[in-house]
Amino acid sequence: MSYEAFKDDALAFETRQLHSGYDPGANSLSKAVPIYQTAAFELGGFERCERLFTFEEEGFSYGRFSNPTNDVLEKRIASLEGGAAAVSFGSGMAAISSVFLNLAQAGDDIAAVKTLYGGSTTLLGKLLPAYGITASWVDRPDDPAAFRAAIGKRTKAVFVESLGNPGMNIVDIEAVARIAHERGIPLVVDNTFATPYLFRPFEFGADIVCHSATKYLGGHGTTLGGLVVEAGGFDWFNGGYPQFEEFHAELAGTIEEGNLRRTLFTRRLRGRYLAELGAHLSPLSAFLLLQGMETLSLRVQRHVENARRVAEFLSGHRAVSSVEYPGLPTSRYFALAKKYFPRGTGAILSVRLRGGEEAAKRVLERVRIFDYLVNLGDAKSLIVHPSTSTHYGLSVEEQEASGVYEDMLRLSVGIEDSGDLIEDLRQALEG
Ligand SMILES: *Cc1c(COP(=O)(O)O)cnc(C)c1O
């Protein structure tokens, strides 16, 4: 067989999820990606050391900067998302916080929707302001014009999730990308809930994609990890990003100019933030995430099919007052879902119950197959009460602005038998 598959991006998604980024020929013909459990690599001579540290030669020196196992993971997600380069991190939050720090400096802001993962809301709303980076909140994410209004002189990026948490709202990504580009700033998309199998943000104008690989990419609830991918076409030389101009000047001449420009964001992300803040992903974790990604398309197809069935069952149940799942024709996001998610709208749904928090508590106590935990994207079905967990600590107004209510449960539908899942929910709702 030929080992060229590792670099052929013309192959189908299902083939690339198994092969891209890995060359067995360079790894003693090991069929599995080896786990390079080492802190450092031999420099192999004075001249080579110089070339490595000026980036004239690609290679490995110290594990906090890069590792061959992580390198395969980075190349694989770059291939699946259709991007130019990627960097791996120890968690999704490490990836997202490093992206914001790479884009914005003290005095700058990030325009973001409020319907974000709780950790991202806290990062932008409470932590980064202490370092001079603030959020410019987009109040009506359903209206692209609200994004234009939120972008000020010091706004350095627009940040959205491809499927919002926990209400599964869909932003009109193509329209928002156009608005961001009119103002010379990049669109950053957290693509965790969708995965590149369901949605590829770069095809609609996004510039940077980040992931909590902990969720569907790993897929089995065993391993924390984060990934950032760069599309490769953004102009960092438009006057708004002096930090990238400076970084470019440091590297210019040693790396081919076209390559340097296409990968400038991820090179600075690695050199400044991964390396200096130190949120590195262990090579064993990179291996486990790669193993999960081999079956991504199969799992996601099944997740989507089960989620649709569960959503249909719940929306017809008298104990349920509403179901948020954009794949349902009754959803106000159904038209956007058809445009952006022809393969399905993921497997997270939020459900509001008649009977308030008490009813939500009873369901949590009665479910037997669904596990009560704050994770999502596991092959196993999970359920949680966001108001007292993922969104704990926010005021009622803040919770409602994020689409969280006390009578609401969030389900992450797994790949079990859908009949068993529906029966489990039925007995929990009716018991
Ligand atoms: C879980 C999650 C994160 C954070 O990722 P960790 O791997 O837990 O740090 C960020 N964004 C979204 C949408 C998530 O679901």
Side-chain angles (χ1 to χ4, degrees):
M1 89 160 264
S2 155
Y3 292 128
E4 289 301 298
F6 73 97
K7 46 182 167 185
D8 187 355
D9 273 348
L11 293 168
F13 188 97
E14 286 79 353
T15 307
R16 285 182 282 127
Q17 74 187 355
L18 287 147
H19 296 285
S20 65
Y22 179 57
D23 177 9
N27 288 278
S28 309
L29 299 181
S30 168
K31 191 59 221 169
V33 177
I35 301 163
Y36 281 86
Q37 190 65 38
T38 181
F41 300 81
E42 293 227 19
L43 295 170
F46 195 83
E47 281 78 26
R48 180 165 183 271
C49 173
E50 276 194 311
R51 288 197 305 276
L52 281 177
F53 278 80
T54 55
F55 302 101
E56 259 171 275
E57 181 173 330
E58 276 188 36
F60 303 96
S61 56
Y62 189 60
R64 183 155 37 70
F65 194 81
S66 59
N67 174 293
T69 313
N70 299 29
D71 185 57
V72 177
L73 175 65
E74 289 158 357
K75 292 201 163 93
R76 191 155 302 172
I77 190 68
S79 165
L80 296 182
E81 285 286 6
V87 184
S88 56
F89 287 86
S91 71
M93 285 318 302
I96 293 167
S97 52
S98 299
V99 164
F100 292 156
L101 292 171
N102 203 19
L103 288 164
Q105 316 202 73
D108 294 339
D109 65 76
I110 308 276
V113 297
K114 280 197 171 160
T115 49
L116 293 176
Y117 179 73
S120 302
T121 311
T122 307
L123 175 69
L124 280 173
K126 300 208 160 101
L127 179 61
L128 288 180
Y131 299 89
I133 299 169
T134 53
S136 172
W137 297 112
V138 179
D139 288 331
R140 287 166 292 109
D142 291 351
D143 176 10
F147 285 85
R148 191 175 278 118
I151 298 172
K153 279 200 181 62
R154 299 287 303 263
T155 303
K156 297 300 171 183
V158 175
F159 181 64
V160 302
E161 292 174 355
S162 47
L163 289 165
N165 181 41
M168 296 295 274
N169 54 308
I170 300 175
V171 165
D172 190 348
I173 300 257
E174 205 167 25
V176 172
R178 206 174 309 120
I179 290 168
H181 294 161
E182 276 165 20
R183 306 293 286 270
I185 63 176
L187 173 65
V188 183
V189 177
D190 179 338
N191 201 28
T192 300
F193 277 30
T195 83
Y197 181 69
L198 295 177
F199 180 61
R200 305 202 329 147
F202 296 151
E203 291 173 0
F204 296 96
D207 303 283
I208 293 151
V209 162
C210 45
H211 281 281
S212 167
T214 317
K215 315 293 171 50
Y216 293 101
L217 297 179
H220 297 79
T222 61
T223 310
L224 284 143
L227 294 165
V228 178
V229 194
E230 157 172 40
F234 189 81
D235 176 18
W236 301 105
F237 300 86
N238 64 13
Y241 300 90
Q243 73 270 39
F244 286 103
E245 292 183 31
E246 246 168 64
F247 189 75
H248 175 265
E250 282 175 34
L251 296 185
T254 58
I255 297 168
E256 188 270 315
E257 182 62 13
N259 175 340
L260 179 57
R261 288 198 175 225
R262 258 193 324 282
T263 57
L264 195 61
F265 182 86
T266 38
R267 283 181 190 275
R268 188 170 186 277
L269 189 68
R270 184 187 302 282
R272 290 287 189 269
Y273 298 98
L274 181 66
E276 310 305 0
L277 296 181
H280 121 102
L281 179 74
S282 92
L284 173 59
S285 293
F287 170 84
L288 292 167
L289 294 172
L290 278 164
Q291 191 144 66
M293 283 162 72
E294 291 192 354
T295 55
L296 181 64
S297 63
L298 297 173
R299 284 183 290 104
V300 171
Q301 282 164 15
R302 174 66 173 237
H303 276 292
V304 164
E305 195 182 305
N306 280 0
R308 198 181 293 123
R309 289 190 186 154
V310 168
E312 279 165 9
F313 163 73
L314 288 172
S315 50
H317 198 282
R318 60 187 145 70
V320 171
S321 60
S322 66
V323 178
E324 294 293 347
Y325 185 64
L328 289 174
T330 49
S331 165
R332 67 194 145 122
Y333 299 108
F334 191 63
L336 288 172
K338 282 212 332 227
K339 169 173 179 182
Y340 291 113
F341 294 88
R343 288 171 154 171
T345 52
I348 310 295
L349 38 118
S350 65
V351 189
R352 294 183 68 181
L353 303 177
R354 300 186 202 283
E357 188 173 285
E358 257 320 294
K361 183 163 170 256
R362 271 201 311 276
V363 169
L364 289 171
E365 283 165 357
R366 285 188 189 139
V367 282
R368 292 182 309 194
I369 297 175
F370 278 82
D371 272 318
Y372 178 19
L373 40 117
V374 292
N375 196 16
L376 59 93
D378 194 321
K380 300 168 275 296
S381 289
L382 314 173
I383 189 165
V384 75
H385 183 238
S387 161
T388 52
S389 58
T390 55
H391 291 69
Y392 177 79
L394 300 182
S395 68
V396 173
E397 294 73 37
E398 286 172 320
Q399 288 202 347
E400 292 189 357
S402 319
V404 172
Y405 304 88
E406 62 168 22
D407 58 4
M408 195 180 96
L409 293 171
R410 184 187 75 193
L411 277 61
S412 169
V413 179
I415 61 174
E416 298 94 340
D417 176 76
S418 61
D420 287 345
L421 295 178
I422 287 170
E423 270 321 300
D424 191 35
L425 292 169
R426 188 198 309 280
Q427 63 81 25
L429 287 165
E430 296 172 9

